[in-house]
Structure formats: structure tokens, C-alpha cells
Amino acid sequence: MRSLLLVIGAAGVVSIAGILSNALVMAILLALALALIWAFVRMEKRTSVRVLPRLTYQAGSTLRWVYLTIALLASGVAVETFLPLFSQRLGGLPPVAAGFFGAALSLGWSVTQVVSSSARREQTVRRQRVAGPGLLAAGLAVLALLQYRDASLLVVIVWLPVLLIAGAGIGLAMPHLSVAAMASTTDKQEGEKAAAAIATVLTMSTAFGAALAGLLVNVGGPSLVSSARWLLFGFALLSALGMLTALRADRNGTHLAQGRSEGEVGATRGP
């Protein structure tokens, strides 16, 4: 499928940019990656066989904003790739202990998701969808400020709860984003397609997140402290954007719900 090849190509271009040192070439490759993503969206709108459901590209769609929020949240997990390195080089931890820090973000995600998925009140669910990206952004930003060369043991210990809190932001919002994807249309079949495509969105965001993580670490080099801060602040910014996409999804979802209510009232009254 040509549209899928465009996504793979964009992720590959970002990965290549991440191993280069020439700023001009990196900028050109990033522009090329954006062009490939734009071409992907254009092709998806026109083709009959799509990577994402047709509803994603319709005007006023809630689904596109739900998918963007999921992608921005899930891409934050890419920082785990470099956390063991930072823990060893900056915190002086042995490899075994550094590995636990690498898994802390996912642990916070998993534990919090079990608890947050029990929320049922619509207002609570909406708040969690918006608060999740904000919590992840705050956690990554605080962690960036705690990056020092030869960090003290106390500072290194603080990294762990900060990572758990950051991961909790993903777990807070992700279960409800899956439900929002299914509820983005009144068509049951399209809703099932929208929910099934979440796995595709997660795969794509993971690939882009890993490529972007390598790029940010390279931009911050040769200082490891600078690399760590570029990485963490960069993904904190992306996570903060997730708050805006979540708010937009909620706004469009409210309009959709109002439309359903009006339709039900009209059907009840009859001609």
C-alpha cells in the first residue's frame, strides 16, 4: 500500500536525520519527512483502501483529534530508550538499576490505566483525557530539569517517582481515548474500524517517536546533559500539544452528541 510506504519513508528519513551532524542536511530531511506525511494524508483522502478509517479525514471529525492525542501520548514512551544510558552516565547507576528506570514510564502507564479505566462520569472522563497529556508533559519537563552530570544519589532517586508520574499521564487518558474513537460515529461498523485502527496509530507513533528521540539526542550532543534535556523537553512539548488535541476532540464530540440528541428528539416527535 502506497500510503503506508509514505509513513515508513517519513519515519526512515527522520531516523537518518538523527545520525547526521550537518544542521542544513538535517533541516532538509525533516522538511522531506513533513512532505511525506502531507502526501500520506492527501493519498489517504483519495484512495479507497486506507491505513486509517475514512472518518478520520472528514470535516469536523472527532476521530482525527483522538488519534493525534493517542499518537502524542504514545510517542512519549520513546524516551525510555535513552533513560538507562542517562541513568548510568549521569546518575552513576549500575546497568541493572538503570534498566528499572527505563521501564518506570511504562509501569506508571500500566498501573494507572487499571484505575482510570473505571471512571464512568462523562465529565471525569473528559478531564482525564485532557489531564493525561498535561501530566506526562509536566513529568518529562521536571525530569529534564533534574538532569546533571554526576547527579547526587538523592536526585537520581527522585527521577523514579517523576517517571512514574509521567507514565501515569498516559494511563490516565489512554483507556478513554479508545472509547472516544469508537464513539466518534453513530455507525457501529465505522466505530469498530476506528477502534481497531488504534493499534496502527500506536505502531506509527512508536516508530516516529523512536526516530525523533534519536534526532533530539543527537542535536543536544556532544554533552550528555544537553542531549537529555533536548530529548525530555522536546517530548514534553509534544505531550503538551496533546492537551490541545484532546480539548478539540472533546469539543467535536460534544457537537456530535448534541446532534444525536436532536435526532432522537426529532424521531420521537415524528412527522
Side-chain angles (χ1 to χ4, degrees):
M1 189 184 299
R2 287 181 294 176
S3 56
L4 186 58
L5 289 175
L6 289 171
V7 174
I8 296 172
V13 168
V14 175
S15 297
I16 294 171
I19 61 175
L20 300 176
S21 57
N22 188 299
L24 178 60
V25 177
M26 289 172 63
I28 293 173
L29 289 177
L30 288 176
L32 176 59
L34 291 174
L36 290 172
I37 294 173
W38 178 82
F40 164 78
V41 174
R42 294 285 295 177
M43 184 170 291
E44 283 276 284
K45 287 181 177 180
R46 290 181 292 186
T47 188
S48 58
V49 180
R50 300 176 176 86
V51 175
L52 299 177
R54 174 179 54 85
L55 180 63
T56 310
Y57 308 101
Q58 292 181 348
S61 168
T62 300
L63 190 58
R64 70 178 69 179
W65 301 107
V66 172
Y67 282 163
L68 279 172
T69 308
I70 291 173
L72 291 169
L73 273 173
S75 63
V77 181
V79 303
E80 287 185 335
T81 306
F82 294 94
L83 288 177
L85 173 65
F86 300 151
S87 299
Q88 290 181 69
R89 298 287 183 84
L90 301 179
L93 296 178
V96 175
F100 283 107
F101 280 79
L105 201 67
S106 293
L107 179 61
W109 174 356
S110 302
V111 173
T112 307
Q113 186 167 258
V114 173
V115 179
S116 67
S117 60
S118 63
R120 291 293 179 268
R121 289 184 58 196
E122 184 61 28
Q123 187 175 20
T124 302
V125 168
R126 289 181 177 179
R127 286 175 178 173
Q128 288 186 359
R129 285 199 294 253
V130 176
L135 190 59
L136 176 60
L140 293 178
V142 170
L143 188 63
L145 296 173
L146 293 174
Q147 300 303 301
Y148 301 101
R149 181 165 295 281
D150 299 324
S152 67
L153 180 60
L154 178 61
V155 171
V156 174
I157 290 174
V158 172
W159 290 358
L160 189 57
V162 171
L163 280 167
L164 291 171
I165 291 171
I170 305 176
L172 194 66
M174 195 64 76
H176 307 299
L177 290 168
S178 301
V179 175
M182 184 174 290
S184 60
T185 175
T186 55
D187 188 315
K188 181 180 178 181
Q189 187 175 7
E190 286 296 313
E192 291 174 351
K193 291 180 181 178
I198 290 175
T200 303
V201 175
L202 289 172
T203 301
M204 292 166 59
S205 60
T206 300
F208 272 100
L212 182 59
L215 174 65
L216 291 172
V217 168
N218 187 44
V219 169
S223 167
L224 196 60
V225 173
S226 179
S227 292
R229 290 181 176 176
W230 268 90
L231 174 70
L232 296 168
F233 276 131
F235 278 95
L237 178 59
L238 287 177
S239 302
L241 291 176
M243 297 179 67
L244 300 180
T245 57
L247 284 169
R248 185 59 184 269
D250 283 347
R251 185 185 307 168
N252 287 11
T254 300
H255 292 162
L256 178 63
Q258 290 174 347
R260 288 176 183 170
S261 299
E262 292 173 359
E264 290 171 357
V265 170
T268 301
R269 290 177 178 174

